[in-house]
Amino acid sequence: MNAPGTRHAARGDGPPLVLLHGFLGHPGAWDGVLAALPAHGETWCPWLPGHGPAAPEPRSWAEAVDTIAATLPPGALLAGYSMGARLALGAAMARPGRVRAVLLVGGHVGLAGGAERAERAAQDAARAAALRRDGLAAFVDAWEALPLFASQRAMPAAAQAAQRAARLAHDAQALTWAFEVAGLAQMPDYRAAVATTGQRLHWLTGAEDTRFDTLAAGLARPPQITHERVPGAGHNLLLEAPQAVAAALARLAA
């Protein structure tokens, strides 16, 4: 990987790992997962576009996933959380067979209907406008209040404060890329590709993240396409259940 990010030396055996963070995230979001892995190959946690120093920014969804796919070490284990999971899925579909397997943590497969896509495009445009108009702090306040993240409010105050600080370290203007180029409305519907792929894909969802959990369960086609549910957890499993994410990575790497 050539983009800025964090590289971790191998700790024991295993394939290379490429780990993609989510929206408002950062490479260190994977630290808890890596700490829970007993062993792993060389690991790269890049900054995604719109976050940190990553540049230049791809101008389309296709360019974004092609850029990621082109830099993946052959035989790597690719994983992503939320927006990172969507980009990881796109990269895997763009270069079939390039990676060993893909772990999709709270990941979407793409919108199937035109009306749903139009509604999401309007929502993404409104969120990008809010970032530009109201600034980052107000946007993060609204983002953290979403029902999607309700389960995180039971976490220790220190963990919530650390996550908020990391979110507030971003640049509001740069973050609009995530809605205007890599938003769910821009992502293709990968259902047909997933249904016929020979690529090993594993969805990991929190049981309390009912929307994404139901979606992933409907995609499962064992043994190639599988889904695992983490009890008592919500959307952000990197934060809420890093041990479960580490265990899933270890099984895919074995």
Side-chain angles (χ1 to χ4, degrees), residues 55-74:
E57 293 179 352
R59 293 166 293 180
S60 68
W61 173 270
E63 184 181 345
V65 299
D66 285 345
T67 299
I68 293 170
T71 57
L72 292 171

Side-chain angles (χ1 to χ4, degrees), residues 20-29 46-52 81-84 86-87 127 131 135-146 148-149 152 160 162-179 235-236 238-239:
L20 308 182
H21 63 76
F23 175 64
L24 282 172
H26 58 98
W47 282 103
L48 292 179
H51 300 70
Y81 158 64
S82 198
M83 182 183 79
R86 294 191 292 105
L87 290 167
R127 285 174 170 165
L131 271 167
L136 185 58
F139 180 87
V140 169
D141 285 344
W143 189 255
E144 292 180 340
L146 291 174
L148 182 67
F149 305 116
Q152 295 176 28
Q160 295 185 60
Q163 178 169 247
R164 180 174 176 81
R167 286 169 167 166
L168 291 173
H170 292 294
D171 176 79
Q173 175 63 35
L175 283 171
T176 61
W177 179 90
F179 295 118
H235 186 65
N236 190 348
L238 306 190
L239 180 68

Side-chain angles (χ1 to χ4, degrees), residues 6-11 19 27-28 30-31 34 40-45:
T6 303
R7 189 183 297 275
H8 300 265
R11 189 170 71 219
L19 311 176
W30 288 92
D31 286 353
L34 290 172
H40 60 77
E42 185 178 25
T43 301
W44 184 241
C45 304

Side-chain angles (χ1 to χ4, degrees), residues 32 60 63 74 88 103 110 139 142 157 180 229 245:
S60 68
E63 184 181 345
L103 175 63
F139 180 87
E180 296 172 342
R229 179 178 296 116
V245 180

Side-chain angles (χ1 to χ4, degrees), residues 201-205 212-214 216-218 220 225-229:
L201 304 175
H202 183 63
W203 261 267
L204 188 67
T205 57
F212 283 83
D213 185 66
T214 301
I225 315 299
T226 51
H227 169 229
E228 180 183 356
R229 179 178 296 116

